[in-house]
Amino acid sequence: MTIVKQNSKIIYAGTGRRKTSIARVQLIPGSGNLIINGLPGESYLQFSPNYLRISCAALQLLGLSREYDVYVKAEGGGLTGQTNAIRLGIAKALCKINPDNRTTLKAEGFLRRDARIKERKKYGLRKARKAPQYSKR
């Protein structure tokens, strides 16, 4: 269980993964700030309302968006993968806060890890599945 007490504040942690992105999320009781890699969440996610909505969807669903500060260390992949990794990490941390949250988050699909990753290139092919052009004669 990754619940750490630091400076009399309880920190709830969760890890999310998507493609090659990894997001380590910490939820600390606060005022609803989103900090990703030391930057405000809006600027890190390039002010995209879609990315902001996806990353904080679990907090919005439970009505806790103004009760916890979210600190994220995200690495690898692109913004879409990192955003989905953040969403999974927040959902896992919310399950540690209250086990009753699990049923609500599971029903909405926030606890499901999307395991699709890029397929590796194979020997003799141009990409993972693209073969050189075949000529009969």
Side-chain angles (χ1 to χ4, degrees), residues 2-72:
T2 52
I3 299 172
V4 180
K5 208 169 191 188
Q6 181 181 21
N7 298 340
S8 73
K9 284 198 171 186
I10 298 174
I11 298 174
Y12 301 95
T15 302
R17 292 185 178 87
R18 170 76 173 98
K19 291 189 175 179
T20 58
S21 301
I22 300 170
R24 292 173 189 86
V25 177
Q26 293 180 337
L27 292 181
I28 302 171
S31 59
N33 295 326
L34 175 63
I35 306 295
I36 304 171
N37 292 347
L39 296 171
E42 295 83 19
S43 63
Y44 186 84
L45 297 174
Q46 300 176 353
F47 300 97
S48 169
N50 196 31
Y51 286 151
L52 288 166
R53 182 182 50 78
I54 290 170
S55 60
C56 294
L59 288 167
Q60 295 285 341
L61 178 70
L62 297 173
L64 301 172
S65 58
R66 296 279 171 226
E67 295 185 27
Y68 291 98
D69 289 337
V70 182
Y71 292 93
V72 180

Side-chain angles (χ1 to χ4, degrees), residues 72-127:
V72 180
K73 184 180 178 221
E75 55 189 23
L79 280 182
T80 302
Q82 287 183 359
T83 301
N84 288 318
I86 291 168
R87 184 179 78 166
L88 180 59
I90 290 174
K92 285 183 177 180
L94 287 170
C95 288
K96 292 174 184 167
I97 291 172
N98 185 358
D100 296 335
N101 292 341
R102 185 170 176 79
T103 55
T104 309
L105 293 170
K106 195 169 174 101
E108 291 294 320
F110 290 141
L111 293 174
R112 183 173 295 135
R113 196 243 195 254
D114 192 347
R116 294 176 296 170
I117 59 170
K118 186 176 170 77
E119 193 175 341
R120 67 171 286 272
K121 181 192 174 296
K122 275 81 169 192
Y123 172 76
L125 301 180
R126 295 216 167 118
K127 296 192 325 187

Side-chain angles (χ1 to χ4, degrees), residues 122-136:
K122 275 81 169 192
Y123 172 76
L125 301 180
R126 295 216 167 118
K127 296 192 325 187
R129 298 187 181 199
K130 184 178 182 180
Q133 187 174 20
Y134 173 74
S135 174
K136 192 169 184 178

